[in-house]
Amino acid sequence: MSTDNTHLTLGEAIDALAKCDPTAKVQFDFGYFTPAGISSYRGYYNQLAIEYAEPHYEDRPTVATVLTWLREADGKTFIGYKGGNYRMTQYTPLWAANHGEAPSVALANVLNLETYIVLETRYVP
């Protein structure tokens, strides 16, 4: 967990997922929603959001897939929702949000349940 105890950073999420079985499926802790990609967060363009999709149990991405997204984001420049270029690093905080949303839901922890992985979130007012 990051030093502010609110968000996982990009680097912390990569480290946590790297310790998991790469074939394990990944889901969020809300409504069985599944990770669907990564983008600049609407609330703070210089931060990242892991996007989510409707729950499809069979179609959940694997740890290997989510790790690929996160590793590719490290050092990459993203375009903010209303423009501007923002380079992401291992210290970039992570949120759970779809493109254009700013629901104030931080990625807080990676819970390894062996057969599947849960991305735990926390509301940050």
Side-chain angles (χ1 to χ4, degrees):
M1 172 117 4
S2 65
T3 55
D4 71 2
N5 293 326
T6 303
H7 294 85
L8 282 181
T9 64
L10 179 59
E12 290 167 334
I14 290 169
D15 290 346
L17 285 168
K19 295 174 185 170
C20 300
D21 175 354
T23 65
K25 299 290 188 160
V26 183
Q27 67 187 53
F28 281 100
D29 62 352
F30 53 92
Y32 301 107
F33 281 81
T34 63
I38 193 161
S39 63
S40 171
Y41 179 56
R42 168 101 193 256
Y44 305 99
Y45 301 164
N46 64 335
Q47 298 180 17
L48 287 171
I50 298 178
E51 299 174 350
Y52 52 88
E54 291 291 325
H56 297 286
Y57 189 79
E58 300 81 19
D59 296 333
R60 293 176 297 166
T62 63
V63 167
T65 297
V66 176
L67 267 174
T68 297
W69 297 339
L70 297 176
R71 287 176 173 149
E72 287 176 353
D74 189 11
K76 182 177 176 183
T77 299
F78 285 76
I79 298 171
Y81 182 73
K82 292 185 179 180
N85 295 317
Y86 301 90
R87 185 175 173 272
M88 307 303 172
T89 72
Q90 64 179 334
Y91 303 106
T92 300
L94 294 174
W95 299 85
N98 284 329
H99 181 74
E101 297 177 349
S104 300
V105 177
L107 187 66
N109 192 27
V110 174
L111 182 60
N112 185 349
L113 299 175
E114 303 299 328
T115 57
Y116 66 99
I117 307 304
V118 176
L119 301 179
E120 292 185 313
T121 59
R122 175 181 296 132
Y123 178 71
V124 180

